[in-house]
Amino acid sequence: GDSWGIFTFLCAALCNLPALPALNCSEELGAGQSIQQTYDLTRYLEHQLRTLAGTYLNYLGPPFNEPDFNPPRLARAERVPSATVDLDLWRGLTDNARLAANYRAYSRLLCYLRVLDGQVGTAELRHRLAHFCASLQGLVLSIGGVMSSLGYPLPAGPAGPSAPPGAPAAPNDFLKKMDDFWLLKELQTWLWRSAKDFNRLKKKVPPAVVTLRLEARGF
């Protein structure tokens, strides 16, 4: 009857239909996303360091944990990479030069932090320092990824030795604590400035491009 004829026609039509195009969505991970991820990590480290610094300064005790404690920078502390560069001079550098400076500084600061981690006396503080070191290592790798994605070479040499070279022990406990104080202070300044660097950089580089690709099969 008519019903059987319609059914037969539909079956034949379906069997002879070409395969439908397959819709694939792929995201090209480029410099824009790498910069965004590095910016996010920098802001996370800023937040993480605020808690860590408060805990560590309390561990050092007075006067280091006092809010108005602002000692002059000692010659010993000059080995720690300083972020106290004129902002206009810093902004006048090329993107490559700023990225390289960040990469070298965090590699060096990470070395000092790892030494610090092995010297603290409480298990909880060692755990926090180890977690922060892992995050900072991730930032070093992330900055290296941004440089590669932009076509910049990494600074010569390894990311950093296991211990800072030429860093003899402080002659007394107070100077050792002063070294630790300046390490945390410089870290805070570097992270603050790096967040601004990557925020400006991500505005210059377009975000990751999402492309839709049609794969036609059966034609």
Side-chain angles (χ1 to χ4, degrees):
D2 292 340
S3 298
W4 177 253
I6 294 171
F7 176 75
T8 304
F9 172 78
L10 289 175
C11 287
L14 288 171
C15 288
N16 287 283
L17 276 176
L20 292 175
L23 182 63
N24 288 334
C25 178
S26 64
E27 188 177 7
E28 298 177 2
L29 305 181
Q33 183 172 4
S34 182
I35 293 166
Q36 179 66 55
Q37 290 177 344
T38 308
Y39 169 75
D40 292 339
L41 180 55
T42 305
R43 295 305 304 270
Y44 169 72
L45 279 162
E46 275 191 291
H47 171 75
Q48 194 177 353
L49 183 59
R50 280 194 291 270
T51 302
L52 175 62
T55 303
Y56 195 85
L57 293 178
N58 284 333
Y59 168 75
L60 295 180
F64 301 96
N65 60 346
E66 296 172 359
D68 57 348
F69 182 62
N70 188 27
R73 188 179 175 99
L74 302 179
R76 287 184 50 81
E78 293 299 328
R79 286 187 295 268
V80 176
S82 176
T84 54
V85 178
D86 180 76
L87 283 179
D88 289 334
L89 178 62
W90 180 259
R91 291 172 182 172
L93 298 176
T94 64
D95 293 334
N96 186 9
R98 281 194 301 271
L99 285 167
N102 274 282
Y103 183 88
R104 286 191 296 265
Y106 288 120
S107 299
R108 181 80 174 180
L109 290 164
L110 180 61
C111 295
Y112 281 95
L113 274 174
R114 284 174 172 160
V115 173
L116 204 66
D117 183 26
Q119 295 175 344
V120 296
T122 68
E124 180 185 357
L125 191 50
R126 282 197 302 271
H127 175 75
R128 291 191 179 191
L129 278 167
H131 180 66
F132 187 84
C133 284
S135 299
L136 193 61
Q137 177 66 59
L139 180 61
V140 173
L141 296 174
S142 190
I143 293 172
V146 170
M147 296 185 72
S148 297
S149 68
L150 292 174
Y152 300 144
L154 292 180
S162 57
N172 59 60
D173 187 57
F174 182 84
L175 290 179
K176 169 63 178 64
K177 291 181 178 181
M178 187 72 79
D179 289 346
D180 297 350
F181 174 86
W182 274 107
L183 174 59
L184 296 174
K185 193 175 182 67
E186 288 296 348
L187 257 173
Q188 287 176 324
T189 307
W190 271 104
L191 288 170
W192 171 81
R193 190 171 65 187
S194 295
K196 292 185 175 296
D197 287 345
F198 287 108
N199 189 43
R200 283 192 297 268
L201 190 58
K202 71 178 183 176
K203 294 176 182 177
K204 295 171 62 175
V205 179
V209 179
V210 176
T211 60
L212 296 179
R213 184 173 67 251
L214 289 176
E215 294 180 355
R217 300 173 184 171
F219 286 98

